[in-house]
Amino acid sequence: MSVSLDDLEFVVLTADHLHYLPSFKCKNAELKGYLVENAFQDQQDRTSATRLVFYQGRLVGYFTLVTDVIKKKELDDRDGDPGFEYSTYPALKIARLATHQEFERQGIGRAMLLKIYSIWIGLTKHIGCRIITVDAKPTAVDFYKRFDFHEAIIDPRKLKDRETVPLYIDIHKELERLRTGAPLSDYDEARSP
């Protein structure tokens, strides 16, 4: 079964949603723990923003976003802008992204990425932001790579003790490449479900 993007409801986490959080089950205990124990407080402290994903009234996923930067030298030569004069690019970071274990492989993760792209487009109307980053769990790397995320170019010695893999996508270039005559405003969050 595949869940359609149109059948999903994306809502910003509020106190009214707290009773849904304990029912969320995923294979990664840290991701569930964050949602239940920290997501709302972090949002109250303005250190992150979490969106919940509902399908037929059931919590089936969530993602948390924060601001980030990525060093210009960590990008592949095909990404970024050759004339960019600063050492870092502004970025939007996917701090957490999880699907309820009963709804895995049904298109929820893809739908969440599309929603993140639409949020990014909205942000770029107000602030500079070119890249989307994520520190992916090793089990999630293939998922992100299917959507054209690349491994950041980082000295392997700095990565040896990390439990995550730093990935990024130059979303500006990706959307321009995928563009088939439709204006990017078609992806705008205000027009998305």
Side-chain angles (χ1 to χ4, degrees), residues 100-168:
H100 191 293
Q101 63 189 24
E102 294 173 24
F103 290 85
E104 289 180 355
R105 301 191 192 321
Q106 294 182 33
I108 307 282
R110 178 184 178 280
M112 287 191 284
L113 279 181
L114 289 173
K115 185 64 170 178
I116 291 166
Y117 295 171
S118 73
I119 291 167
W120 172 83
I121 289 168
L123 285 174
T124 62
K125 293 176 184 175
H126 306 285
I127 62 171
C129 187
R130 177 159 181 149
I131 309 291
I132 296 177
T133 62
V134 62
D135 290 333
K137 307 283 186 208
T139 57
V141 169
D142 288 341
F143 166 77
Y144 288 105
K145 284 187 173 184
R146 279 196 304 273
F147 295 98
D148 295 321
F149 278 75
H150 312 283
E151 285 190 44
I153 302 167
I154 298 177
D155 183 337
R157 293 174 292 186
K158 291 182 181 178
L159 296 175
K160 71 176 185 148
D161 294 326
R162 287 183 65 146
E163 296 178 9
T164 59
V165 178
L167 303 172
Y168 76 91

Side-chain angles (χ1 to χ4, degrees), residues 18-82:
L18 295 178
H19 68 280
Y20 288 103
L21 306 186
S23 70
F24 186 77
K25 293 181 171 82
C26 68
K27 293 177 183 170
N28 185 298
E30 185 272 328
L31 289 172
K32 176 176 178 158
Y34 175 79
L35 178 64
V36 173
E37 298 166 17
N38 303 102
F40 183 69
Q41 186 60 52
D42 285 357
Q43 189 156 292
Q44 293 296 314
D45 294 340
R46 298 188 193 281
T47 57
S48 68
T50 296
R51 281 198 171 62
L52 304 177
V53 184
F54 288 92
Y55 174 66
Q56 297 179 346
R58 188 163 176 201
L59 178 61
V60 296
Y62 85 93
F63 60 88
T64 302
L65 302 175
V66 299
T67 58
D68 197 13
V69 296
I70 186 168
K71 293 177 183 172
K72 187 166 132 175
K73 66 182 182 181
E74 294 175 350
L75 301 181
D76 186 280
D77 290 340
R78 296 169 293 175
D79 294 319
D81 181 355

